[in-house]
Amino acid sequence: MSKTKIKQTSVSVIGIAVTTLATYLPYFKNTYGIDTSTMILSQKQMLDGYLSQGRFGIVWLFHLFIRNYNNQIVPFIVVLLLVLAGIYLYFILKKFDKSSSNFALTLFAIVFINNPVVYSQLYFKMQAIHIVIRLFCVLIGTHLCLSENKNIVKIIGGAVLFGFSLLIYQVFAFFIFSMFLLSMLLFKEKRTQILQSMFPSLVIAGIIYVISYIIASMTINYSSYGTETYMMWNKLGTLRGFQKLGAILMALIALGYAALFVITALRLKSGKKVDRLLLVLLIGSILTFNIAFGNVRPAPRVYFGAFSVVFAAILYLLAKKGGQYKWLAAAVTLLSVLFTFGLSQRANHSYDNDVKLTQEVVAYSKANNIPASDFDKTNVVFLGNLQAGNQGIYRKLQDIFITGATRTSFFQFDPPLTSVRPYDFMKTQGYNFAIPDQALRTQMTTQYSGLPDYPNEKAFTYSPANKTVVVRL
């Protein structure tokens, strides 16, 4: 390798490392999201939940390596692994795509791991390490399938790696499929071996997961959360309005996508050009989750790798064109980095606000002569939702990525009269207030509906008869 190439590679590696460290700098703060609070309070409860969702790999890794979850060390491991993943991806592309500039390769690696959808998944710190481990499984499996090893070795090795990634999180099937299409698009001279190794590996990985799921069903009661939350095909007859229209639209897209896939395969077999068709299939692969579930609006985090592949590939192809397209790709990459940094900052700021609100509840309780020893006998009723800081176009754009269970505030819960999340959060802060029953919450909602909104100091009141602190959010 010439000195110029060594210098370019060094600059790229340093650029990927520095950019990733800068992007995820706020992530190092010891904050956590809703589900992570459950892991902190009861690791077994969270792991049982993973088993009920068929995410066996996460549980295996916990049992093997993580006896007692420590939220503080997670960011140090995750960000280091992200840096290594970005550098590894850069070298995979550099080895197999000889036609691309070093600039384009670097942009791809940076934006692949520094985008808001990746952050929205890593926001759940209790599963972040596992997410990055399975990311490596997919990258290593892809690298293996592109290598010059014997086909049987590539198929078996790829199946094991891809299969383990599915056992950790099932939606990685869509990520692997996007990686398959990306490999077909970029590495033209390897298309035959990609078809003969990577695609069979994905199919076998799927079979491995299904067999594991069936065997585990003998001892595990599976949760219906996934089908109730995401699956629309099984309840098409009961859907109304936009949801039904969306499911029908997804059915039409599914038919069109399947037809395009068949046409591409036939053209490829006959030796005709398929580059544009592969590009359309790759871009369309971001919707494979929607197609599989008939769902138009799932949480962005479920797209994870598929989004990263498509987003990075588009910028990569723009950068390869050179000229003004090159700088457009660089500008979008920079915006992705800044926006991801902003999401992490917002999550930290919201966490600080939740700590502040908890401290104010504690201070107000003590001011009303409730000793800390009696907190477990004192009800706290929160009326409404904490929406402070959600105003403005930029905040609304951020809400696209921090939504559902990843919403930033523990007090931005839904529905407000039944959630235990605020109480779990206060418990992690060391304050074990009593959780009011539904009847008391309803009574307090009617009785104190006229309170001003928090952070007004009069948003707090105390009902001695019910031993209840009421806070209007």
Side-chain angles (χ1 to χ4, degrees):
M1 186 183 290
S2 67
K3 288 184 178 181
T4 302
K5 289 186 177 180
I6 291 174
K7 185 177 180 180
Q8 287 179 342
T9 300
S10 299
V11 169
S12 294
V13 168
I14 293 171
I16 293 166
V18 171
T19 302
T20 305
L21 288 171
T23 301
Y24 292 99
L25 191 61
Y27 190 69
F28 285 94
K29 185 173 181 177
N30 186 26
T31 61
Y32 45 85
I34 287 165
D35 285 351
T36 307
S37 66
T38 305
M39 179 69 77
I40 292 170
L41 291 172
S42 175
Q43 183 167 309
K44 184 180 183 303
Q45 178 185 343
M46 198 69 224
L47 295 184
D48 287 346
Y50 279 137
L51 286 176
S52 75
Q53 294 172 10
R55 300 180 191 176
F56 315 113
I58 291 183
V59 179
W60 296 340
L61 289 173
F62 261 100
H63 285 166
L64 286 171
F65 303 110
I66 309 172
R67 298 293 179 177
N68 296 296
Y69 176 77
N70 185 334
N71 193 68
Q72 290 178 296
I73 66 172
V74 169
F76 296 92
I77 298 173
V78 168
V79 176
L80 173 61
L81 290 176
L82 279 178
V83 169
L84 295 176
I87 293 171
Y88 181 38
L89 180 59
Y90 165 81
F91 279 109
I92 292 175
L93 291 169
K94 191 175 184 67
K95 181 177 181 178
F96 297 108
D97 187 4
K98 305 295 185 181
S99 65
S100 292
S101 68
N102 202 63
F103 184 81
L105 296 171
T106 307
L107 283 187
F108 188 104
I110 288 174
V111 81
F112 187 91
I113 55 176
N114 295 282
N115 68 68
V117 177
V118 169
Y119 173 74
S120 70
Q121 184 65 266
L122 299 182
Y123 176 76
F124 292 100
K125 287 181 179 174
M126 82 289 187
Q127 65 180 29
I129 295 174
H130 308 82
I131 290 283
V132 185
I133 287 174
R134 60 190 175 215
L135 169 60
F136 268 100
C137 287
V138 176
L139 294 182
I140 295 170
T142 302
H143 189 181
L144 178 62
C145 290
L146 291 169
S147 70
E148 297 302 326
N149 289 297
K150 291 182 179 179
N151 208 44
I152 187 66
V153 173
K154 293 191 286 188
I155 291 174
I156 295 174
V160 171
L161 289 162
F162 295 154
F164 186 62
S165 72
L166 297 185
L167 288 166
I168 294 176
Y169 198 9
Q170 304 94 318
V171 296
F172 262 53
F174 308 113
F175 173 23
I176 301 167
F177 182 67
S178 293
M179 284 295 289
F180 161 73
L181 291 172
L182 176 71
S183 301
M184 290 288 291
L185 177 64
L186 296 184
F187 313 124
K188 299 178 184 180
E189 70 284 355
K190 289 184 172 289
R191 283 175 179 169
T192 300
Q193 72 178 69
I194 292 169
L195 278 172
Q196 292 175 348
S197 60
M198 193 169 180
F199 192 75
S201 293
L202 176 56
V203 173
I204 296 172
I207 294 171
I208 290 172
Y209 179 80
V210 170
I211 292 174
S212 302
Y213 191 89
I214 293 172
I215 293 174
S217 68
M218 299 176 185
T219 57
I220 295 172
N221 293 318
Y222 288 122
S223 167
S224 59
Y225 171 80
T227 54
E228 290 174 353
T229 306
Y230 297 121
M231 182 64 77
M232 295 296 148
W233 299 126
N234 62 344
K235 47 188 174 185
L236 189 59
T238 62
L239 297 179
R240 293 291 181 270
F242 178 75
Q243 280 191 321
K244 189 165 190 174
L245 195 63
I248 293 171
L249 176 63
M250 281 300 115
L252 295 174
I253 292 175
L255 291 173
Y257 193 83
L260 186 62
F261 191 86
V262 172
I263 292 170
T264 305
L266 292 174
R267 286 182 64 86
L268 187 65
K269 186 177 180 181
S270 61
K272 296 179 181 179
K273 290 185 177 181
V274 294
D275 291 36
R276 291 183 179 180
L277 291 175
L278 282 171
L279 178 58
V280 174
L281 284 173
L282 175 62
I283 294 173
S285 71
I286 201 171
L287 295 175
T288 46
F289 180 93
N290 307 75
I291 290 171
F293 289 89
N295 193 318
V296 180
R297 297 173 57 191
R301 66 185 180 277
V302 302
Y303 295 99
F304 187 64
F307 174 86
S308 292
V309 171
V310 174
F311 184 39
I314 292 172
L315 297 186
Y316 183 62
L317 294 174
L318 283 175
K320 285 181 71 171
K321 282 180 172 289
Q324 60 185 6
Y325 296 105
K326 171 182 175 180
W327 301 115
L328 174 62
V332 175
T333 299
L334 178 60
L335 287 174
S336 177
V337 167
L338 293 174
F339 189 76
T340 306
F341 179 87
L343 279 178
S344 191
Q345 282 279 64
R346 180 184 174 186
N348 289 352
H349 180 65
S350 184
Y351 182 90
D352 289 340
N353 286 341
D354 285 358
V355 172
K356 179 184 175 184
L357 175 56
T358 299
Q359 294 296 338
E360 289 179 355
V361 170
V362 170
Y364 184 83
S365 301
K366 290 181 177 178
N368 282 274
N369 300 316
I370 304 171
S373 58
D374 286 346
F375 282 176
D376 60 343
K377 305 179 188 68
T378 305
N379 294 293
V380 180
V381 173
F382 297 100
L383 311 180
N385 284 292
L386 185 61
Q387 296 289 336
N390 280 351
Q391 293 75 29
I393 296 175
Y394 184 69
R395 293 293 193 187
K396 295 302 180 185
L397 184 61
Q398 288 181 316
D399 278 342
I400 294 173
F401 298 95
I402 303 181
T403 185
T406 59
R407 60 189 61 190
T408 49
S409 174
F410 280 84
F411 299 90
Q412 188 185 340
F413 50 90
D414 184 28
L417 292 183
T418 58
S419 178
V420 299
R421 287 166 175 168
Y423 307 97
D424 282 349
F425 175 74
M426 291 191 292
K427 191 179 294 184
T428 66
Q429 300 299 306
Y431 307 108
N432 190 18
F433 285 98
I435 301 176
D437 59 28
Q438 181 64 48
L440 180 60
R441 295 191 199 198
T442 303
Q443 178 189 340
M444 295 296 101
T445 299
T446 303
Q447 188 173 342
Y448 294 105
S449 60
L451 290 175
D453 291 341
Y454 176 82
N456 189 309
E457 62 181 18
K458 293 184 179 179
F460 295 79
T461 192
Y462 178 59
S463 173
N466 299 296
K467 292 186 178 179
T468 302
V469 173
V470 181
V471 186
R472 173 74 182 184
L473 299 178

